[in-house]
Amino acid sequence: MSKNILLLCLLCLLLLPLSSCSLPLGKERGLFGRFPENYEDPEDGFTLWMPANMRSQFGINHANVQKRIDACVSGRYRGAPYTWPNDDYKQLDENTRLYAYYEYYDEKVSANVDKLPFDRTLSDSRVRYITVFNTTVDKEGLIMGCKYWRFRR
């Protein structure tokens, strides 16, 4: 009897990391099932639209994603034509559409450990980051504004 209880506890401990990583949190309908489709930060009111069927534009490196973030924040895209009209969008009013897409990249992260016990070596790990972009476009197809949110996946 105690062996069965011990095996059950061991099985639960082994399955715990799998269940917490692979299952969506709650009943969210947005990106990866982890976020609400219409995300709003309660602290500062920041909003972002993240539909579940949103596509990735690029699978590129950190420097290229950072260039897009900088262009978005500085307003360099404002007034330029939106060149990806097949992206997911929602109609805000008769003159404005909100487009959504995401980009991802992997970053090598060092563990910052000098030496592990038993002469084992530690390799660097990779961390995946996702950056979601929302672009507001007028009826002529020109970009009116852009915002983003970067998070660790």
Side-chain angles (χ1 to χ4, degrees), residues 83-96:
T83 57
W84 300 298
N86 294 329
D87 283 342
D88 297 317
Y89 72 89
K90 70 176 177 178
Q91 198 76 34
L92 297 179
D93 58 37
E94 64 273 359
N95 296 321
T96 312

Side-chain angles (χ1 to χ4, degrees), residues 11-142:
L11 181 64
C12 289
L13 286 174
L14 290 174
L15 293 178
L16 183 62
L18 295 175
S19 64
S20 65
C21 293
S22 62
L23 295 177
L25 302 175
K27 299 178 183 177
E28 304 299 357
R29 299 176 315 154
L31 185 62
F32 308 125
R34 289 180 52 199
F35 301 99
E37 186 169 328
N38 296 302
Y39 173 81
E40 183 173 354
D41 188 331
E43 292 180 16
D44 61 7
F46 175 78
T47 60
L48 199 72
W49 181 54
M50 297 187 288
N53 58 347
M54 181 172 38
R55 287 180 279 158
S56 172
Q57 279 292 355
F58 307 95
I60 52 181
N61 64 34
H62 173 272
N64 287 338
V65 174
Q66 190 60 51
K67 284 180 189 176
R68 292 190 199 289
I69 289 171
D70 294 343
C72 177
V73 169
S74 69
R76 282 184 288 188
Y77 288 150
R78 196 167 288 130
Y82 189 74
T83 57
W84 300 298
N86 294 329
D87 283 342
D88 297 317
Y89 72 89
K90 70 176 177 178
Q91 198 76 34
L92 297 179
D93 58 37
E94 64 273 359
N95 296 321
T96 312
R97 284 184 176 177
L98 179 65
Y99 286 89
Y101 69 93
Y102 71 92
E103 296 182 6
Y104 62 90
Y105 65 93
D106 292 338
E107 187 173 59
K108 201 178 216 183
V109 178
S110 175
N112 292 329
V113 176
D114 292 334
K115 187 173 180 180
L116 290 175
F118 310 113
D119 293 327
R120 293 175 27 197
T121 59
L122 183 66
S123 62
D124 292 337
S125 62
R126 293 193 179 272
V127 177
R128 173 157 287 182
Y129 288 93
I130 306 288
T131 305
V132 176
F133 288 92
N134 277 183
T135 307
T136 310
V137 179
D138 67 12
K139 65 181 176 181
E140 284 83 32
L142 301 177

